[in-house]
């Protein structure tokens, strides 16, 4: 059994539902998706949605972690939301005693079996991914928080606790330049070979790295070429995507990431353009479900 988790409020629920649909379609293993509902509306929508999707009320997590409640009371809403990836993952390992947890941003969509990720992680306790377009010099960080894996062992839980404390308690302010993300650079120095940088065997797309890939084989076997590596594209991260509930129109980044997308020219690549067309169709379906309910 694989344990995944994500989170959102009602405004992003259509993205979370799309993520769940992609897991249902692509996962060859039994799984559960724990869904942290930031508001009551999203919880009410999900409470009887599917036996593989388990909604959790925000107050349940806040009750267990008074420091998180204090952080919520004293932080902007977006910073509080960013803190929940580590807080919810920690809650599931510490309070629900799961064997492992794989956190996923709700705006991620799978195109291949996530088992490929676990095969690369192997027996290691932590898994993180690179952005692929930058290094530790960037204030955004070398690694992306879109997917993060922790095993419930000494190194995995210890790493997760360090990450969560750094955010909530401000124990490493020098790494606070991009919400909860820059802290990921602290994983390898502290936990060494127990951390897997998921980079050798799988590819992952996003506005900041679409331009780095060659798509000649994608429509044949689902692979892209990155440097000298031919890799299956396992998921895309649709960061900053804007979907108009009324018209069904999708805007890839709502004007963001011009510097990473060759002034948005990357979205004219046929394969990339089609990613967004197809994702828009799924969002329309998921949004209709929510409105209908």
């Amino acid at each position: 059994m694989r344990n995944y988790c994500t989170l959102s409020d009602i405004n992003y629920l259509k993205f979370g539902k799309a993520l769940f649909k992609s897991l249902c379609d692509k996962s060859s293993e039994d799984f559960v998706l724990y869904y942290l509902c930031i508001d009551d509306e999203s919880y009410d929508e999900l409470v009887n949605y599917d036996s593989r999707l388990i909604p959790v009320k925000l107050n349940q997590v806040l009750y267990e972690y008074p420091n998180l409640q204090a952080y919520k009371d004293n932080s902007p809403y977006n910073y509080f939301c960013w803190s929940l990836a580590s807080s919810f993952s920690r809650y599931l390992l510490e309070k629900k005693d799961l064997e492992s947890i794989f956190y996923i941003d709700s705006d991620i969509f799978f195109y291949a079996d996530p088992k490929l990720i676990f095969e690369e992680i192997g027996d290691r306790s932590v898994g993180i991914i690179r952005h692929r377009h930058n290094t530790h010099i960037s204030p955004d960080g070398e690694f992306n928080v879109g997917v993060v894996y922790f095993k419930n062992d000494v190194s995995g839980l210890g790493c997760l606790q360090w990450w969560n404390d750094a955010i909530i308690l401000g124990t490493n302010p020098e790494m606070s330049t991009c919400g909860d993300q820059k802290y990921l650079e602290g994983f390898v120095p502290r936990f060494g070979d127990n951390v897997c940088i998921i980079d050798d065997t799988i590819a992952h797309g996003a506005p900041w790295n679409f331009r780095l890939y060659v798509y000649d084989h994608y429509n044949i076997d689902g692979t892209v070429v990155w440097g000298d590596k031919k890799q299956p594209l396992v998921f895309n991260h649709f960061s900053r995507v804007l979907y108009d509930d009324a018209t069904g129109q999708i805007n890839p980044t709502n004007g963001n990431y011009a510097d990473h997308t060759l002034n948005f020219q990357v979205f004219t690549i046929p394969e990339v353009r089609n990613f967004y067309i197809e994702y828009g169709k799924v969002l329309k379906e998921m949004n209709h479900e929510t409105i209908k309910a």
Side-chain angles (χ1 to χ4, degrees), residues 33 41 44 114 129 146 149 171 175 194 210 237 261-262 265 270 272 284-285 291-292:
L33 176 65
E41 293 87 349
D44 293 342
I129 61 169
Y149 168 83
T171 55
M175 307 179 84
N194 292 302
F210 281 135
H237 190 164
T261 60
L262 306 176
Q265 290 303 303
V272 175
K284 183 177 182 179
E285 178 186 349
I291 293 174
K292 186 177 180 181

Side-chain angles (χ1 to χ4, degrees), residues 47 68 91 94 136 162 168 280:
V47 67
L68 180 61
Y91 168 82
E94 289 186 338
H136 68 279
W162 176 85
I168 302 301

